Amino acid sequence: MINTVLTAMREALDSAPEQDMSTRLDRSWLLGFDTETTGTNPGQDNIVSASLVLRNPQTGYEGDAVAEWIINPGRHISKGASRVNGFTDEYLAENGSEPAESIEQITKVIMAAQGRHIPLLAYNAPFDVRMLNGDIRQWCAGRVEPMSEQDLLVVDPLVLDRAISHRSGRRTLAYTTEYYGVVPHGDFHNATADTVASVDLIEPMTTLYPQVGRITLDKLMDWQREAHTTWQNQFNEWLTSKGRRPSSDAWL
């Protein structure tokens, strides 16, 4: 099944345009990405499920090309992760693919899209990018190079939302989609459902906040880095006021 799905994804990507860096975010093709993992530590934990969703802005959800992988990393999945994503060691052993081949396939699709200036979209993107890089180093050494964080073209709806909505409350994917009126296609913590929901956020975000839609691809990364720094400085002021340790987490 994955070979058929992967072929369809590659064909869809081959038909996608090579975008100019002056393309606006609200008119850009996007490659959504999400992972489910054995835990939360890149380089120590592994991806057990991943999804890529190629979105043509003119056709929307109905025109999506989707590829999903179930991967058996041959290691124990933590109880916490299993409660969240529903995977078990037994299920992965029976249904999961070999890690090296799957991680290589995922990476090559992403890099092909990057070559066409199609941004990689992921909610809380550093987590998924660093998990994938950790698996590349573990499984694909000598076959695939880890992705350079500084060179990637990425859209992170979490960073966008923090910069524009100024709302109170939690900013998990579930809460954020509810805020923007996005109805999920499937259950959260399923890699494909989460990926589609994340991509679906861009239309209402850029409609409600036209200044975000006008961001061009050549300005996208600097805009998000500045937005993350501004948010982090404000967050650290709040943490310090509560006697808590400031956050030093970097974005991309």
Side-chain angles (χ1 to χ4, degrees):
M1 176 63 77
I2 185 60
N3 289 335
T4 302
V5 172
L6 185 59
T7 298
M9 171 62 77
R10 287 170 173 164
E11 290 176 350
L13 192 53
D14 286 343
S15 69
E18 182 173 338
Q19 300 193 128
D20 190 275
M21 291 297 284
S22 63
T23 302
R24 292 166 39 144
L25 180 57
D26 59 0
R27 299 172 183 172
S28 178
W29 285 61
L30 299 165
L31 182 66
F33 178 49
D34 186 68
T35 64
E36 300 296 335
T37 62
T38 62
T40 60
N41 296 311
Q44 299 179 34
D45 288 298
N46 297 109
I47 294 170
V48 298
S49 176
S51 177
L52 291 170
V53 174
L54 182 64
R55 172 69 57 88
N56 178 343
Q58 295 184 343
T59 59
Y61 170 75
E62 297 300 328
D64 284 350
V66 179
E68 183 176 22
W69 290 260
I70 305 296
I71 302 171
N72 177 22
R75 63 166 296 150
H76 177 62
I77 185 169
S78 72
K79 291 182 179 179
S82 184
R83 281 195 298 270
V84 169
N85 58 44
F87 289 109
T88 64
D89 296 341
E90 294 75 19
Y91 180 87
L92 295 172
E94 183 175 348
N95 298 280
S97 61
E98 191 273 328
E101 182 180 9
S102 296
I103 296 300
E104 182 173 357
Q105 290 170 347
I106 294 165
T107 306
K108 286 185 174 179
V109 172
I110 292 172
M111 296 316 296
Q114 291 286 299
R116 293 179 179 270
H117 301 144
I118 296 175
L120 183 69
L121 182 147
Y123 198 87
N124 189 21
F127 176 81
D128 296 291
V129 168
R130 288 163 188 163
M131 289 301 303
L132 180 57
N133 271 341
D135 275 13
I136 291 171
R137 293 185 180 97
Q138 179 173 347
W139 304 114
C140 303
R143 296 166 56 181
V144 179
E145 290 295 319
M147 298 181 295
S148 169
E149 292 185 11
Q150 292 299 310
D151 295 332
L152 281 174
L153 183 61
V154 172
V155 177
D156 190 336
L158 175 59
V159 172
L160 299 180
D161 179 56
R162 283 170 171 166
I164 58 179
S165 70
H166 304 295
R167 62 188 173 88
S168 60
R170 301 175 64 187
R171 293 181 191 263
T172 63
L173 179 59
Y175 278 89
T176 302
T177 52
E178 181 179 359
Y179 176 78
Y180 286 98
V182 170
V183 178
H185 299 272
D187 298 326
F188 287 113
H189 296 297
N190 167 279
T192 299
D194 283 3
T195 308
V196 172
S198 298
V199 175
D200 282 346
L201 282 169
I202 297 304
E203 182 176 358
M205 280 185 173
T206 56
T207 300
L208 288 169
Y209 303 97
Q211 68 272 29
V212 175
R214 291 192 293 267
I215 301 171
T216 54
L217 299 184
D218 58 341
K219 301 293 195 301
L220 181 61
M221 296 305 292
D222 285 343
W223 193 99
Q224 290 175 106
R225 288 174 180 134
E226 183 177 345
H228 174 76
T229 298
T230 298
W231 168 82
Q232 188 173 52
N233 289 340
Q234 294 170 347
F235 183 52
N236 281 340
E237 289 180 5
W238 179 84
L239 288 174
T240 302
S241 73
K242 301 296 183 181
R244 296 166 61 182
R245 180 181 300 176
S247 166
S248 59
D249 293 342
W251 193 67
L252 298 172

